[in-house]
Amino acid sequence: MDDLDPIAICVLFEEWDPQTENSQDAQAVCRSPGEPTSLVNMASEDIAKLAETLAKTQVAGGQLSFKGKSLKLNTAEDAKDVIKEIEDFDSLEALRLEGNTVGVEAARVIAKALEKKSELKRCHWSDMFTGRLRTEIPPALISLGEGLITAGAQLVELDLSDNAFGPDGVQGFEALLKSSACFTLHELKLNNCGMGIGGGKILAAALTECHRKSSAQGKPLALKVFVAGRNRLENDGATALAEAFRVIGTLEEVHMPQNGINHPGITALAQAFAVNLLLRVINLNDNTFTEKGAVAMAETLKTLRQVEVINFGDCLVRSKGAVAIADAIRGGLPKLKELNLSFCEIKRDAALAVAEAMADKAELEKLDLNGNTLGEEGCEQLQEVLEGFNMAKVLASLSDDEDEEEEEEGEEEEEAEEEEEEEDEEEEEEEEEEEEPQQRGQGEKSATPSRKILDPNTGTDTSDPEKVVSAFLKVSSVFKDEATVRTAVQDAVDALMQKAFSSSSFNSNTFLTRLLVHMGLLKSEDKVKAITNLYGPLMALNHMVQQDYFPKALAPLLLAFMTKPNSALESCSFARHSLLQTLYKV
C-alpha cells in the first residue's frame, strides 16, 4: 500500500449499530499513507470501541439522538441525563426525540436546556408523547416552543408526526410557528396527529401569519415540504390550508393522504397548487376526487412543469377524471417519474388514454393502474401500449384488476347518485354549523341525543338481524367525539348488541352481512339505499368489537371489508383506520 499515490486512501468498512451490531451502510474512512494499518485489519475490540464512541454522541451533522430509546420522562429528575447531553453538545443542529414519552415537567426542563442552543435547525419530535393524556401535550409543546424562541433558533425542519394531540395540540405549537424561529422553516411534518378541521384551520392561520411576519422582515417563509396525512382535515381543513399554500407559493412536496377530503377541498387544493410552480410531489392518496375534483386537479397539472410524483391512488377519480388527467399529462410534465391511479374505478378506455399519455415521459419509472376495471383484454391492451413505447417495465402489477362492468348506464347513474349524496352531505354540514351556536345557547340538553333515539330496545326484535341492523345504524348515526354523546351511544350499542348476540335465535353472520350492505360495503340483490356517512357506524363498530359479547369469529370478515378499497370509506379514513387497528388486535 505504501507504493500507492500519496493521497488519502479510503477503506470501506461497515457502520455498526451499537444496539444489534448488525452491519448497515458502508462508509468510507480515509487515512493518509504512513498511518497505522487500515480499518480492515483493526481488531474487533477497536471497532467495537469506535462504534461505542459514535453511539454515545451520535454525531451526524451536529445531531444528538435519543431516537427509539423508550425513555419515560415525567419529571425533571427523569430528564437530567437528557438535559446534560443537550447542554454538553456543542453546535447542536438536530435533536431527535422520537420513540420516547415526554411529560409536562420534563418538557419544561428540556426546553430550558434548549434556550442556549441557537444553532438548532432540525427538531425530529415525532411519536414523543406515547401514553400521554391529550391535556398534557399542549403545555409540553408550548414549553419546548418557548425554549426554541428564546434561543433564537432558526428551524429548517419540524417533525411532530404520530403525536395524537388533536386540535388542542396544534395550539401548543401555534406560537412557535408564528415566531421568528420558523421564518426559515423548509419542512413541516404533521402526519397522523388527529388535527381535525379545527386543527387544520389553526395551522393554516399560523402559517399565513408566519409568512406575513417573515415577509415584513424581507425574508418570506419559503416552506418546501408539507406532510399532514391521516388528520381528518376534511373539506374545511383542506380549504383553509389551501389558502395558506396560495400565500406561501414555494411548496415542492405536499403529502395529505387519508384526510376525508371530497371534491370541494380537492378543488381548493388544486387552485393553490397552481401557484406553487416548484411542486415535485403531490400525494393525495385515499381521498375522494370524483370527476369534479379530478378535472380541477387536471387543470392545475397543465400549469406545472416540475412534477415528478403524482399519487392519486384510491381517490375515485373514475374514468372521466382519469381522461382529464391524461390530457393534462400529455405533452406536459416532462419530469414525471411516477403516476398512481390505482383503485380509482377507471375503465379500460380511460386507462388506455392514461397509458398513451406516457409516450414522451422519458423519466417514467412507475405507472400504477391496479385495482381498476380494465378486464383481462384491457390489461393486455394496456401492456401492449406501453410495450410500444418500450415502457413495459414501468407498469405495476394488475393483480387486483376487476372485470369490466357491462352496463355503463348503471355506473353513470351510480356516479350521479354519489354526486348528489356529496352535495346533500355538504348541505347537512352547513346546516349543522348553523344550528350549533343555537344549541350552545340552549344548554347541554340540546347538545345530547334524545333518550328516545338512544333506546334501541324500544320495539326492537333482537332475534331479527335486519331490525337489529336498523337499530344499530339509528343509534350510531348520532355519534360524536364529545364525551357525553360518545358514552351514550356506546352504552346504547352495548345494550342492543349484547342482547342480540346472546340470543340463540340470532344469526350473527346475517347481521354482519346486512350491516355491510346498508353501509354500502357489500352489494346486494335487493335494492338498499346505503347510508351516506359512515363515521358514526365505524366508531360504534370499533367499540363493539372490543367487547366480550362480540363473536370474535366475525372479526376476519369485517377486517376483509375494511381493507378492501371502497369509495364509501374514503371520507372516514380516521374511523376506518381506528377500526382496522382494533381488528388487527382482536
Side-chain angles (χ1 to χ4, degrees):
M1 292 185 69
D2 290 335
D3 295 328
L4 293 177
D5 188 50
I7 59 173
I9 300 171
C10 293
V11 182
L12 290 175
F13 80 105
E14 305 280 87
E15 180 186 356
W16 291 80
D17 183 322
Q19 300 295 327
T20 62
E21 292 191 355
N22 289 330
S23 61
Q24 296 178 340
D25 299 328
Q27 291 193 350
V29 173
C30 298
R31 70 174 179 87
S32 298
E35 288 186 357
T37 308
S38 72
L39 285 173
V40 171
N41 297 322
M42 282 180 66
S44 59
E45 56 265 31
D46 293 331
I47 294 179
K49 188 178 293 184
L50 175 61
E52 184 180 348
T53 303
L54 288 171
K56 187 174 181 181
T57 56
Q58 297 195 34
V59 180
Q63 175 176 284
L64 175 60
S65 177
F66 300 95
K67 182 179 179 179
K69 292 185 179 295
S70 301
L71 302 174
K72 295 181 180 179
L73 308 177
N74 297 316
T75 65
E77 179 65 21
D78 296 335
K80 67 178 184 180
D81 291 339
V82 172
I83 292 166
K84 187 176 189 310
E85 289 202 49
I86 291 173
E87 290 175 341
D88 292 347
F89 200 108
D90 294 330
S91 302
L92 179 63
E93 293 184 12
L95 178 61
R96 308 196 75 105
L97 292 172
E98 310 104 306
N100 299 290
T101 178
V102 181
V104 177
E105 185 182 337
R108 192 178 299 118
V109 292
I110 290 173
K112 196 70 179 172
L114 292 177
E115 288 182 1
K116 297 179 181 178
K117 300 299 174 181
S118 61
E119 295 179 0
L120 187 61
K121 292 180 174 62
R122 299 183 182 275
C123 297
H124 302 280
W125 293 352
S126 63
D127 189 23
M128 59 177 270
F129 295 112
T130 304
R132 297 289 168 186
L133 297 174
R134 286 177 81 169
T135 53
E136 292 182 87
I137 301 175
L141 287 172
I142 289 170
S143 293
L144 291 168
E146 289 174 348
L148 295 172
I149 295 169
T150 301
Q154 293 186 318
L155 299 183
V156 295
E157 181 178 1
L158 177 61
D159 187 355
L160 291 169
S161 299
D162 300 315
N163 290 310
F165 45 57
D168 293 341
V170 183
Q171 292 178 322
F173 61 92
E174 180 184 9
L176 173 63
L177 279 182
K178 293 178 179 179
S179 76
S180 59
C182 287
F183 289 179
T184 50
L185 198 63
H186 287 170
E187 300 181 35
L188 179 59
K189 300 174 182 178
L190 299 165
N191 202 54
N192 191 31
C193 291
M195 290 189 291
I197 294 171
K201 289 182 176 180
I202 296 169
L203 175 61
L207 288 172
T208 303
E209 179 67 4
C210 180
H211 186 273
R212 185 191 69 78
K213 291 169 71 174
S214 58
S215 297
Q217 293 191 9
K219 294 183 179 179
L221 171 68
L223 190 66
K224 296 179 180 180
V225 178
F226 180 82
V227 181
R230 291 169 58 187
N231 269 293
R232 298 167 56 201
L233 294 170
E234 301 181 18
N235 289 332
D236 289 349
T239 300
L241 285 165
E243 286 301 312
F245 296 164
R246 286 168 70 102
V247 171
I248 294 168
T250 55
L251 289 168
E252 296 180 15
E253 294 185 28
V254 175
H255 303 263
M256 296 175 66
Q258 292 186 338
N259 268 299
I261 308 171
N262 298 327
H263 70 80
I266 296 297
T267 300
L269 288 171
Q271 292 168 348
F273 292 165
V275 299
N276 285 265
L277 299 178
L278 298 177
L279 267 174
R280 293 184 297 102
V281 179
I282 305 174
N283 177 6
L284 295 174
N285 186 284
D286 203 1
N287 289 291
T288 308
F289 282 42
T290 65
E291 182 187 347
K292 288 182 181 179
V295 169
M297 194 60 70
E299 286 301 308
T300 286
L301 292 177
K302 291 177 182 178
T303 68
L304 301 176
R305 303 290 295 174
Q306 305 301 319
V307 174
E308 297 176 6
V309 177
I310 298 173
N311 186 344
F312 296 158
D314 208 4
C315 281
L316 203 68
V317 303
R318 290 211 176 99
S319 294
K320 291 180 181 177
V323 170
I325 291 171
D327 288 343
I329 292 174
R330 188 179 293 107
L333 303 185
K335 298 182 179 181
L336 188 65
K337 293 180 179 179
E338 182 176 335
L339 174 63
N340 184 346
L341 291 174
S342 61
F343 298 98
C344 281
E345 294 191 7
I346 300 171
K347 301 186 79 173
R348 178 181 58 182
D349 291 346
L352 292 176
V354 172
E356 288 164 0
M358 301 298 115
D360 62 344
K361 302 297 174 281
E363 297 184 32
L364 191 69
E365 297 173 359
K366 183 177 181 181
L367 173 62
D368 193 345
L369 288 165
N370 194 23
N372 289 299
T373 52
L374 282 63
E376 186 176 347
E377 184 180 348
C379 290
E380 291 175 359
Q381 290 176 331
L382 184 65
Q383 290 169 329
E384 287 173 5
V385 169
L386 291 169
E387 283 173 3
F389 304 144
N390 196 27
M391 289 184 175
K393 65 180 181 180
V394 306
L395 184 63
S397 167
L398 297 171
S399 59
D400 291 318
D401 184 76
E402 297 180 10
D403 290 334
E404 198 170 8
E405 295 175 5
E406 294 179 2
E407 299 181 8
E408 284 194 22
E409 187 178 337
E411 185 192 67
E412 288 173 4
E413 288 176 3
E414 190 177 310
E415 287 182 21
E417 271 182 26
E418 290 194 15
E419 292 284 355
E420 285 175 14
E421 286 172 3
E422 278 184 9
E423 289 170 9
D424 290 342
E425 281 180 33
E426 288 164 24
E427 287 174 9
E428 285 173 14
E429 286 175 6
E430 288 173 7
E431 287 171 8
E432 284 175 11
E433 287 175 5
E434 289 173 5
E435 289 172 5
E436 197 173 333
Q438 297 173 10
Q439 289 179 342
R440 287 199 197 103
Q442 293 167 6
E444 290 295 324
K445 285 187 179 178
S446 61
T448 306
S450 70
R451 193 175 296 278
K452 185 178 180 181
I453 293 175
L454 296 182
D455 188 3
N457 294 317
T458 304
T460 302
D461 179 3
T462 51
S463 64
D464 185 340
E466 189 70 28
K467 290 179 179 177
V468 174
V469 167
S470 178
F472 176 86
L473 291 174
K474 184 178 181 182
V475 170
S476 61
S477 68
V478 299
F479 183 95
K480 289 185 179 180
D481 289 319
E482 298 168 17
T484 52
V485 180
R486 182 175 65 246
T487 301
V489 170
Q490 290 174 347
D491 289 346
V493 167
D494 288 340
L496 171 69
M497 299 313 304
Q498 188 164 17
K499 184 177 180 181
F501 284 132
S502 62
S503 171
S504 57
S505 60
F506 183 69
N507 190 320
S508 301
N509 288 316
T510 301
F511 161 76
L512 184 54
T513 300
R514 294 305 298 170
L515 180 61
L516 291 169
V517 168
H518 281 275
M519 292 174 70
L521 305 179
L522 179 63
K523 291 182 179 179
S524 172
E525 292 181 2
D526 55 329
K527 290 188 177 180
V528 174
K529 186 170 176 62
I531 59 175
T532 57
N533 190 344
L534 296 184
Y535 184 72
L538 289 172
M539 295 302 284
L541 278 171
N542 189 25
H543 169 76
M544 184 178 76
V545 299
Q546 299 178 62
Q547 309 310 308
D548 292 338
Y549 60 73
F550 177 73
K552 299 299 184 280
L554 296 181
L557 177 60
L558 187 56
L559 180 62
F561 279 91
M562 288 300 107
T563 53
K564 184 179 179 182
N566 191 297
S567 60
L569 294 169
E570 304 308 321
S571 60
C572 303
S573 56
F574 174 79
R576 176 194 196 181
H577 179 71
S578 298
L579 178 55
L580 282 172
Q581 284 186 316
T582 301
L583 287 169
Y584 283 126
K585 297 175 185 176
V586 171

